Amino acid sequence: MSLPGTLSNLIDALRVLPGVGPKSAARMAYHLLQRDRAGAARLSARLTAALDTLQHCRRCNNFSEEPVCEICASPRRDARQLCVVEMPADLNRLEETHAYKGLYFVLMGRLSPLDGIGPREIGLERLIERARDGTTEEVILATNFTAEGEATAHYASELLKARGLKVSRIARGLPAGGELEHVDGMTIAQALLDRREV
Ligand code: ZN
């Protein structure tokens, strides 16, 4: 079967999305072109705008339209606490609980040696640098309770403690294998409260 070049290029491009194989990519392309051309134009414009506008916050590594994001720039946050999470969705989850008033650092991943993701691929060096700003008194590790999240917390805690920083881990009120994104707010708030020094 020979497709017009622009169409097969579009199908190829859609495969950058996680979990999307050739068949679903083709379905998406036909849907956008046939059923929702306005939606397709919006997607294209917003994707370009996001790529042009969003950068990593210089302090917390989260996505931001400014060099320093709103949370990091807020004088109402407690700069003595620095909470480390894997992904922006985890940060959002913690914010929704209103249980935490400190600052964050977003790793944008977790250690996963089997997938070739080592300390260098996630922001551990930047985390160390960030935690040594002279204001941070406690680093709270809130990576997920999955094998990778635990390994990441362990590795980060060793690095941070070696530099004289106080490190704690959120409590295991969360289920084993639990991902913050899917846990209710009360449980997350309690896990923060019950954190222990590591
Ligand atoms: Zn920030």
Side-chain angles (χ1 to χ4, degrees), residues 57 60 69 72:
C57 167
C60 71
C69 77
C72 290

Side-chain angles (χ1 to χ4, degrees), residues 107-125:
L107 293 169
M108 294 289 174
R110 65 207 66 104
L111 289 179
S112 183
L114 292 179
D115 303 315
I117 301 171
R120 212 172 299 215
E121 281 69 32
I122 57 173
L124 281 179
E125 289 303 317

Side-chain angles (χ1 to χ4, degrees), residues 130-153:
R130 169 68 186 82
R132 296 176 79 193
D133 65 347
T135 313
T136 306
E137 291 177 7
E138 180 186 7
V139 181
I140 302 166
L141 299 170
T143 53
N144 290 317
F145 284 108
T146 56
E148 282 110 349
E150 293 278 28
T152 307

Side-chain angles (χ1 to χ4, degrees), residues 18 26-27 48 55 61 68 73 81 89 93 95 100 108 143 195:
R27 261 201 305 276
T48 304
Q55 52 189 314
N61 204 34
V68 174
Q81 291 186 327
R93 200 71 197 84
E95 282 297 284
Y100 179 67
M108 294 289 174
T143 53
R195 67 184 182 274

Side-chain angles (χ1 to χ4, degrees), residues 35-136:
R35 307 244 172 247
D36 197 357
R37 294 179 73 94
R42 199 162 53 238
L43 174 62
S44 164
R46 291 191 181 173
L47 191 54
T48 304
L51 286 170
D52 286 348
T53 312
L54 293 173
Q55 52 189 314
H56 289 286
C57 167
R58 234 187 267 150
R59 310 245 314 142
C60 71
N61 204 34
N62 198 5
F63 290 115
S64 170
E65 291 181 356
E66 307 296 332
V68 174
C69 77
E70 217 172 292
I71 293 178
C72 290
S74 167
R76 286 192 301 275
R77 308 293 303 212
D78 184 350
R80 292 168 301 179
Q81 291 186 327
L82 185 67
C83 181
V84 180
V85 294
E86 293 179 19
M87 298 301 286
D90 303 324
L91 182 157
N92 298 339
R93 200 71 197 84
L94 283 163
E95 282 297 284
E96 282 166 18
T97 68
H98 302 288
Y100 179 67
K101 291 286 163 244
L103 296 173
Y104 293 97
F105 187 88
V106 185
L107 293 169
M108 294 289 174
R110 65 207 66 104
L111 289 179
S112 183
L114 292 179
D115 303 315
I117 301 171
R120 212 172 299 215
E121 281 69 32
I122 57 173
L124 281 179
E125 289 303 317
R126 288 192 51 202
L127 165 63
I128 307 293
E129 201 182 304
R130 169 68 186 82
R132 296 176 79 193
D133 65 347
T135 313
T136 306

